[in-house]
Amino acid sequence: MRSVLTRLSLTDFRSYDRAELELDGRSVVLTGPNGAGKTNILEAVSLLSPGRGLRNAALPEIGRRAPEETTGRAWAVAAWLEVGGEAVRLGVGAESPGASRRTVRLEGEPATPARLTDHVRPAWLTPAQDRLFLEAAGERRRFLDRLVFAAEPAHAGFAQAYEKALRERLRLLTDGPADPVWLDALERRLAISGARLAEARALTLAALQSEIDARGDRPFPQARITPLGEWELRAAGGETGPVLEQALASALAGSRGRDAAAGRSLTGPHRGDMSVIHAERGRPAAECSTGEQKALVLNLVLAQAARLSRAESAPAPVLLLDEVAAHLDRRRRAALFDEIEALGLQAFLTGTDDPLFEDLAGRALRIRVEGSRLAVADTP
């Protein structure tokens, strides 16, 4: 189901005091110097989904702040969309300076953040992810969970429930009292939510691999992706449902002494990871060039976007690609633009140099960004 942004309005958001952006359904190219405010536009769109957006920012960081102000102002992002041919109006923001909880509105009425996923599902790739394969496992795990979440919004709820129970269990083990009855209850909760996390990750990786294999003639490096975490591997091997839950509960119970001594939980899907191999080279992604790593990450994002674009019951993703063209050669840039168009997706792309987007001439709306001011420019 196609999801298209038709208008975006920002109030006291990051560097923008006020900004209005009228869109025409095409992809959007935002060009301008460093620090002009391009990424802020992408972040605004990313916040039209549950979570903390592409910068993982706390709410008080987002509001516009003058030099003499210590706290960010109240801020708002409003968006008008067409989803499956129907017009939808969304709004998110902080109603007071320093607010710790954001407000969500759907057609002007209060709504829960979960309702946002019924209408728009942003997916993003930022320069911070350029080192995805070189960073610790936690970064890859968060990246994978965003891909899972784009298809299965309930995944975020399982993750929150799991993390909450994990903290409570560790507190009991380290600070006491280590009540066996309460620990049993917490580990049962952990087993239920943890099994769902592991299963969803394993299913997503398998689906992405199938998507990548089916589109093997593309100029992006082919990837072989597999789970690395114990529980994701067990789920991928067919150990699911109550069987996986019982195994995880037993492992947690048996690890109480070790976890208490270590001061951290040593088993569970919170330690999951994924392996990405450059298929043609037969080498781990971490050993590939910067450009190849960028192309491999992009391949995963596009595979998920292609998968979701065929879904009839949920909106297709809106792609947010920050400085994505900088490390791609001309052939891969052109292939990226062609694929976005072929999938019928709306993408927001940023860059400092207009020539990077010359292959999008006539196919995208070009916006020039200077000093947090937006101006529609000629097509690049």
Side-chain angles (χ1 to χ4, degrees), residues 29-40:
V29 172
L30 299 147
T31 58
N34 292 328
K38 304 184 297 296
T39 304
N40 293 342

Side-chain angles (χ1 to χ4, degrees), residues 107-370:
E107 298 296 352
E109 297 296 325
T112 63
R115 293 290 309 279
L116 294 169
T117 59
D118 295 337
H119 306 288
V120 59
R121 297 190 184 180
W124 55 80
L125 189 58
T126 71
Q129 294 165 325
D130 288 352
R131 294 179 53 82
L132 182 69
F133 304 119
L134 304 176
E135 298 287 355
E139 294 301 318
R140 289 182 294 279
R141 190 164 54 248
R142 281 186 282 274
F143 173 80
L144 173 57
D145 281 341
R146 283 298 311 181
L147 294 180
V148 177
F149 173 75
E152 301 180 33
H155 187 72
F158 289 124
Q160 291 171 359
Y162 180 87
E163 292 295 335
K164 184 175 184 292
L166 194 70
R167 289 192 300 270
E168 292 179 8
R169 173 182 178 271
L170 188 60
R171 180 179 56 79
L172 287 180
L173 290 175
T174 56
D175 299 340
D179 181 351
V181 175
W182 184 229
L183 285 169
D184 285 344
L186 285 173
E187 287 163 358
R188 180 59 183 164
R189 284 161 51 189
L190 280 167
I192 293 172
S193 55
R196 299 293 85 73
L197 290 180
E199 290 167 4
R201 290 170 183 166
L203 286 171
T204 295
L205 288 175
L208 292 179
Q209 186 66 69
S210 296
E211 190 71 43
I212 290 169
D213 291 345
R215 296 148 71 233
D217 59 343
R218 300 156 63 252
F220 295 99
Q222 291 296 96
R224 293 201 304 269
I225 49 177
T226 54
L228 285 182
E230 174 187 358
W231 301 99
E232 289 81 1
L233 281 168
R234 293 172 75 155
E239 193 174 339
T240 60
V243 175
L244 188 62
E245 291 174 17
Q246 182 56 51
L248 181 51
S250 297
L252 289 164
S255 184
R256 289 175 187 174
R258 292 189 301 123
D259 291 354
R264 56 195 175 94
S265 301
L266 299 173
T267 188
H270 61 284
R271 297 174 63 84
D273 198 355
M274 66 176 180
S275 167
V276 178
I277 303 293
H278 189 303
E280 289 87 350
R281 293 183 179 274
R283 302 185 72 84
E287 298 178 9
C288 296
S289 70
T290 301
E292 287 172 330
Q293 290 185 39
K294 185 86 167 185
L296 283 165
V297 176
L298 184 57
N299 204 4
L300 298 181
V301 172
L302 288 173
Q304 183 69 319
R307 176 187 174 211
L308 298 180
S309 69
R310 294 191 296 273
E312 297 181 359
S313 59
V318 175
L319 293 181
L320 309 175
L321 305 177
D322 193 17
E323 300 287 352
V324 75
H327 289 140
L328 299 178
D329 58 35
R330 171 73 183 271
R331 184 171 67 102
R332 285 179 178 154
R333 285 200 302 271
L336 167 62
F337 304 151
D338 289 344
E339 189 148 354
I340 290 170
E341 189 171 36
L343 292 173
L345 301 177
Q346 186 181 36
F348 287 70
L349 305 99
T350 70
T352 55
D353 301 317
D354 290 342
L356 290 173
F357 304 102
E358 59 187 12
D359 289 311
L360 271 176
R363 298 189 287 171
L365 176 66
R366 179 186 165 199
I367 305 294
R368 186 69 185 173
V369 186
E370 300 248 6

